Structure formats: C-alpha cells, structure tokens
Amino acid sequence: NPIIEEKHDENVAAGQVISQSVEAGQKVDEGTVITLVVSLGAASFDMPDVVGKDEKTAESTLLGKGLVVSVEYEKNDDVPEGNVIRQSIGAGEQVKRGDTITLVVSSGKNTVNVSDVVGMNRDAAETELKSQGFEVVVLENYDDNVASGKVISQTPAAGSAQMPGTSITIYVSKGKQPVKISFNANGGNVDTVSATVYYSATYGTLPVPTRAGYTFVGWFTAAEGGSQILADTLVSSTSNQTLYAQWSTDAYTITFDANGGNVSTTSKSVV
C-alpha cells in the first residue's frame, strides 16, 4: 500500500493527489513503496472585518486574501454612502481562498432587486434587465445541458439589490461544444474524411474503411496502439482530433495438388 501524506494546497482540490514519489512511467521493483501527497484543499484563515470600510477598500482587502466578492446595495441613512453595512461571513469566522463573501453597501438611492433571467432566451433576458435600469453584458459559453440561446447563469445574482445602472452579466449557452473528427484510413480508403461530434456525447456511427488484403480492426487514437474508439465511446476532449484505422493482414490457405505424385503438406496458411 502507498504511504499517504496530506498537506494544504490552494491550487489542488481536496482529495486530489498533489505529487507522487515516483514519476509516472518510471520502472520500479516489485514491492516499492510509493508516497502520495494528497491535498487537504486551501488552508482556512480568520475572516477580516470590513464593515464600515468604503466599498473599494473592503473589496480590495478581500480579493487580496483570495476571496470572491459579491456586492449588493441597500439604502441606509445611518451608514455613509459607499461604506459596507454588513458582510455575509462575520469577522473572525474561518474562511478559505475561493469562498464567496457578499458585502452589503450603503447606497444614496433606492435599489432594485435583480430579476431572475436564468433559462430565458437571450433577447428576453436583456429586455427584462434593461427595463429595470441595468446595463447588460452578454458572455457566451458552450453548455451540455442548456439549449443554445438560453441564459445559463447571471451575476450579480437574481434577487440581489443593485443600483440602477449596474452592469449585469448574463452567460448565454452556445449549446453543446462541437468537435471535428478527421478519419485517417491509414493505407486504406474511407468515404467520410471528417465529421462533427459533440463534447461529452458519444461518437455515434463511424465510417467503415476498406483496404485490399486487410481486415479492418477499428478506429484508434493513434496509427499504432492508442485507444480504440467505438460508437458508444464518449467524446472526452474539446480539441479537434484524428482517428486512425488499424488493420490486420488477411490470411489465405494454399492447397497443394501433387497431380499424380505425393506431397507431405497438402495445405498451408499464409498472410
């Protein structure tokens, strides 16, 4: 069994291997003990107190600690405009890099609760948010589960209190990510030289190449060796790729006729 060591790492998720004592591919003797260093995730620390600070100073303080900051606004006569009224995680509580902190900032004007536009068509979402007085920024991403043209997510979040004129970013789906597949017959012939499949979907029906004197073995990720790709194999890379046909040589049987004489071997298999 390997030796397991654990340490905090801000860049490797908890439970994932950070390093190993023997590099992959290196030959070792049977019974060699391998040491694995496993991540405990980011180390925790005390949440800073930013209540009462101005928005930019508070945000800069938290971002410098590796925290993610979400800002909401609230009309408040007791706190100067632009200063933090409250924070979603109290000072001194344990947080770690990547945690999201919501700051509620005092505004000098009435705020508007952001509409929920997730799942709406892009045009309808833009119209809705603009009607509330917000600016709209549209970013497009491929998404396996959301139909093309629909809103995947939004930031600031739906229901958060924002001042008119705030920019709301909506992420709109481009649908499944297409991946171009090229077919290399590897010495044979194939009618289909390329096709489009989709990331995380299956390859589906693949063409069948031909080659005189050879039997088609299958499509592989390399001309020799590699992994075989079948119709139900999932597309696991977003990069365009080439599949290579691999072949086995046909076997033939030769029969010997002594034509009135004698022969010790009457047939032989050749390739």
Side-chain angles (χ1 to χ4, degrees), residues 127-145:
T127 299
E128 171 64 22
L129 294 173
K130 287 178 179 178
S131 72
Q132 292 189 289
F134 298 122
E135 300 292 330
V136 181
V137 177
V138 179
L139 298 178
E140 294 183 308
N141 293 321
Y142 289 110
D143 193 286
D144 295 337
N145 301 310

Side-chain angles (χ1 to χ4, degrees), residues 43-74:
S44 59
F45 56 89
D46 291 344
M47 173 67 190
D49 185 1
V50 295
V51 172
K53 297 183 181 296
D54 66 87
E55 179 182 346
K56 288 186 176 179
T57 299
E59 190 169 4
S60 177
T61 298
L62 300 184
L63 292 175
K65 297 283 189 180
L67 299 170
V68 178
V69 180
S70 175
V71 179
E72 298 183 14
Y73 298 91
E74 181 179 293

